[in-house]
Amino acid sequence: MFKDITIGQYYPANSPIHDLDPRTKIVYTFVYIIVLFFANNIAGYAIALLFLALLIYLSNIPLKFVFKSVKAIIIIILITVILNVFVTPGYILFKIGPLKVTDAGLINAAFMAVRLIMLIIGTSIMTLTTSPISLTDGMEYCMRRIPGMRAYAHELAMMMTIALRFIPTLMEEADKIMKAQKARGADFETGGIFKKAKSVVPILVPLFIGSFKRADELAMAMEARCYRGGEGRTRLNELTYQKGDTVAYIVTAVMTAMIIASRFLLLLNIPMK
Amino acid sequence: MQKAIQVKNLCYKYQKDEEELTAIYDMSFDVYEGEFLAIIGHNGSGKSTLAKLLNGIIKPSSGDVLVYEMNTKDEDKIWDIRQKAGIVFQNPDNQIVATIVEEDVAFGPENLGVEQKEIRKRVDEALETVKMSQYKDRKPHQLSGGQKQRIAIAGILAMQPKCIIFDEATAMLDPSGRDEVLSCIRHLNKENKTTILYITHYMEEIVDADRIIVLNKGEIAMQGTPKEIFSQVEPLQQLQLDVPNITKLAYMLKKEGINIPDGVLTVDEMVGCICR
């Protein structure tokens, strides 16, 4: 039942976005998040939306999957919208009991909701198009660039890799333990939530003990294969930038410039409507 | 012959519940270059402890282990020792580090700081040697036990060791997986001239070893060629070790007064003896 579990939300497909270097995608996502907060008028949002639409189109991911991630934060969006509608001062449109709805509030709420939705879709495009393994690689490379983080970059990446490697193994083991307990009359299906939670304990205990033993053996095997941290280590597959990455970086720069420009155009009072 | 590993008056003591226990007691032997040496003993005879002592994962309490003239107590040489004498452990799951087969094979050379092009070459060669080339893009958990263990062997081969220690490498495998791994090990010994030190408690696996050392309670109980060892059926049984079935049959026939030489190891040999 656990055999071919997918970790994260990676959606395997062939697309120019999938082929990009994970570093490019991480940098793009980072820039995109920051730039979204620069956008403060319709022009800015329109530009961000345009680039997002382009990204989704190029990524070959069905829209259903893209919008799945929005579902997860729908409550947060609702709360933000409600708060914005009612607490922003401005011209009062109408009142519901003690609550006042203002024009500025409505506009603000709409902007906020759009911003959040774009934020979550933009970042999930990264996780949808990048496998956890190459995402780990990309993070390691990016972290190395940050002063003072170099030493941790390798360790963090190694931890992530080992975690990814052992998730299926531990799943299989949990399945095995569960079956063994069932064979001896354990009941995982009936009862309320507390009874069910309680019945998980006999699975977790042996699983934990087992994984400590595994960790011990793995550490020994790694040492036997001359592992001594990240210093002086080489790689079989070094990340290398391709042509597509250059294009992606240019696109990122253009988008950033356009959104920032949209903000200043408003300051200069050039009419946008 | 050149000595690959020298064990000199080796002792290993450890603490358990404030009690000092001796796992290896004053042991001395040599492993010669290019040979297939089998070490056999039942549970608690100190075999696994010995394996860990041989490439410096644990250090001797007294005595010395020399791997190609390098002492395992010498911290500066420890990585050279581990590169020269690789070790394959029992549980295939717990020695695979990476999420993709070829990246796991590359783990050793990566640690040694080998150049990228050279790593690629070594990984391809190692996978070819263990006949796992077509699985190089797979995830480890999609492989069978025998295949995983062959990947572990490839991971060691990629470090280009001169000697490989197998610490009960087939104990957790099913019979077909065991055959896969064993034939791979024999191939390494015959074709690549790799020195093999094979630790096990299955007698059948080592009938074609060059030499056998029998361990009991941390000491060497017997040593010699398979023929010499397996002809001593009764002493082996006293050490709770089972001789191969065919040898047992020969022993029992001989006891009944039939003229059969000592230490018959294979069915063919047996047929030859009976049909004389």
Side-chain angles (χ1 to χ4, degrees):
Chain A
M1 68 192 269
F2 295 120
K3 202 78 188 177
D4 273 311
I5 190 157
T6 50
I7 304 149
Q9 47 170 357
Y10 178 54
Y11 184 87
N14 271 327
S15 83
I17 306 297
H18 281 80
D19 291 343
L20 286 180
D21 192 292
R23 283 173 291 179
T24 315
K25 285 186 263 193
I26 291 171
V27 170
Y28 176 83
T29 310
F30 211 72
V31 170
Y32 180 78
I33 292 170
I34 295 168
V35 150
L36 260 188
F37 285 93
F38 272 98
N40 64 347
N41 55 38
I42 292 187
Y45 280 99
I47 294 163
L49 195 64
L50 187 80
F51 279 97
L52 186 62
L54 184 75
L55 196 65
I56 296 170
Y57 172 73
L58 284 176
S59 70
N60 265 347
I61 292 171
L63 279 179
K64 201 178 78 188
F65 281 91
V66 176
F67 282 104
K68 229 181 181 174
S69 48
V70 179
K71 241 190 244 163
I73 61 149
I74 203 108
I75 291 174
I76 297 173
I77 295 174
L78 277 178
I79 292 172
T80 324
V81 167
I82 291 166
L83 281 178
N84 269 294
V85 166
F86 292 121
V87 301
T88 318
Y91 176 75
I92 297 166
L93 292 174
F94 56 88
K95 287 183 182 180
I96 310 166
L99 301 166
K100 303 172 193 107
V101 177
T102 62
D103 59 343
L106 280 180
I107 293 168
N108 247 357
F111 272 150
M112 265 306 187
V114 171
R115 180 180 285 170
L116 274 176
I117 291 170
M118 278 162 63
L119 195 75
I120 203 78
I121 290 179
T123 44
S124 63
I125 290 290
M126 174 177 76
T127 47
L128 280 165
T129 58
T130 322
S131 72
I133 303 159
S134 55
L135 203 59
T136 308
D137 272 356
M139 269 167 54
E140 185 184 355
Y141 275 77
C142 290
M143 270 178 74
R144 271 199 236 156
R145 302 267 166 208
I146 306 169
M149 291 295 262
R150 214 191 143 82
Y152 302 109
H154 167 76
E155 276 168 37
L156 201 76
M158 183 52 82
M159 281 195 282
M160 292 261 288
T161 312
I162 291 173
L164 289 172
R165 151 81 185 83
F166 276 93
I167 286 169
T169 311
L170 290 178
M171 288 283 205
E172 232 171 88
E173 189 162 294
D175 192 33
K176 227 183 261 173
I177 295 169
M178 212 159 143
K179 277 180 187 148
Q181 308 273 29
K182 267 188 195 163
R184 284 179 284 162
D187 177 14
F188 298 109
E189 268 99 34
T190 57
I193 184 148
F194 284 106
K195 196 168 170 278
K196 269 188 187 162
K198 244 180 164 177
S199 67
V200 176
V201 175
I203 301 175
L204 286 183
V205 172
L207 197 62
F208 263 98
I209 294 171
S211 51
F212 278 117
K213 206 176 149 232
R214 275 181 201 284
D216 201 32
E217 281 184 26
L218 183 72
M220 199 162 65
M222 283 169 75
E223 260 190 74
R225 287 166 76 181
C226 298
Y227 180 70
R228 54 199 127 162
E231 278 305 308
R233 225 171 160 262
T234 47
R235 301 280 300 247
L236 170 66
N237 297 316
E238 295 274 356
L239 291 178
T240 45
Y241 281 126
Q242 309 294 330
K243 255 189 203 147
D245 295 299
T246 321
V247 177
Y249 273 113
I250 294 170
V251 171
T252 313
V254 169
M255 177 188 74
T256 312
M258 282 172 81
I259 291 176
I260 291 173
S262 78
R263 196 183 169 98
F264 288 112
L265 288 180
L266 200 76
L267 279 182
L268 294 171
N269 254 335
I270 295 165
M272 295 301 296
K273 285 163 198 165
Chain B
M1 252 194 288
Q2 214 202 327
K3 288 168 183 168
I5 300 176
Q6 299 171 59
V7 176
K8 291 177 181 167
N9 304 100
L10 178 67
C11 274
Y12 184 73
K13 297 188 177 82
Y14 63 99
Q15 294 279 332
K16 196 185 178 189
D17 305 330
E18 285 170 30
E19 209 183 331
E20 201 177 51
L21 298 167
T22 307
I24 305 281
Y25 186 75
D26 196 25
M27 192 180 285
S28 298
F29 66 91
D30 294 330
V31 182
Y32 297 99
E33 187 128 280
E35 80 169 334
F36 191 125
L37 173 64
I39 293 184
I40 194 160
H42 78 101
N43 295 338
S45 59
K47 346 186 260 293
S48 283
T49 312
L50 181 62
K52 285 173 213 160
L53 282 162
L54 289 180
N55 79 346
I57 289 175
I58 51 179
K59 306 275 182 264
S61 305
S62 68
D64 292 298
V65 176
L66 302 179
V67 178
Y68 288 92
E69 312 291 333
M70 295 178 284
N71 197 317
T72 57
K73 284 176 183 164
D74 187 354
E75 279 299 326
D76 298 334
K77 295 272 172 62
I78 198 74
W79 306 112
D80 288 331
I81 289 172
R82 287 181 188 164
Q83 184 264 319
K84 283 249 159 37
I87 179 162
V88 176
F89 293 95
Q90 184 175 14
N91 191 332
D93 265 324
N94 298 352
Q95 48 188 324
I96 295 178
V97 185
T99 40
I100 302 285
V101 163
E102 66 169 7
E103 283 184 18
D104 184 72
V105 176
F107 183 72
E110 282 177 349
N111 291 335
L112 295 169
V114 175
E115 215 183 306
Q116 193 188 352
K117 246 189 211 159
E118 173 71 13
I119 298 181
R120 167 55 59 199
K121 205 182 113 219
R122 287 190 188 188
V123 168
D124 291 344
E125 276 174 10
L127 282 171
E128 189 58 44
T129 310
V130 299
K131 301 195 174 65
M132 288 293 287
S133 293
Q134 77 259 44
Y135 297 98
K136 66 177 186 176
D137 295 326
R138 292 286 186 89
K139 291 178 180 154
H141 67 97
Q142 295 168 332
L143 304 176
S144 73
Q147 289 172 328
K148 277 186 226 175
Q149 204 62 311
R150 269 146 70 199
I151 293 304
I153 296 174
I156 298 297
L157 282 179
M159 297 198 298
Q160 300 189 332
K162 293 203 161 178
C163 169
I164 305 181
I165 300 155
F166 292 88
D167 181 12
E168 298 199 60
T170 56
M172 293 181 73
L173 306 179
D174 55 19
S176 69
R178 188 173 298 160
D179 286 343
E180 277 172 36
V181 171
L182 265 172
S183 65
C184 176
I185 295 171
R186 286 197 194 102
H187 173 84
L188 282 177
N189 182 241
K190 294 270 166 333
E191 305 301 320
N192 299 22
K193 305 286 177 224
T194 311
T195 310
I196 304 286
L197 202 149
Y198 192 82
I199 299 172
T200 185
H201 63 264
Y202 294 107
M203 283 276 187
E204 280 87 358
E205 292 182 343
I206 53 171
V207 287
D208 52 2
D210 293 324
R211 210 151 56 90
I212 296 178
I213 291 178
V214 183
L215 293 189
N216 185 42
K217 293 180 181 148
E219 286 181 275
I220 294 176
M222 288 183 228
Q223 56 179 319
T225 62
K227 252 193 174 37
E228 286 163 8
I229 298 291
F230 290 138
S231 59
Q232 304 175 51
V233 176
E234 263 164 45
L236 281 174
Q237 280 173 339
Q238 269 167 21
L239 298 174
Q240 297 176 35
L241 291 168
D242 258 329
V243 292
N245 283 332
I246 205 78
T247 316
K248 210 171 187 173
L249 177 66
Y251 170 73
M252 280 153 82
L253 287 173
K254 201 176 162 194
K255 237 175 153 183
E256 295 297 317
I258 298 165
N259 181 22
I260 280 176
D262 273 333
V264 175
L265 296 178
T266 62
V267 177
D268 288 343
E269 230 178 301
M270 186 67 157
V271 171
C273 292
I274 294 175
C275 303
R276 253 180 313 182

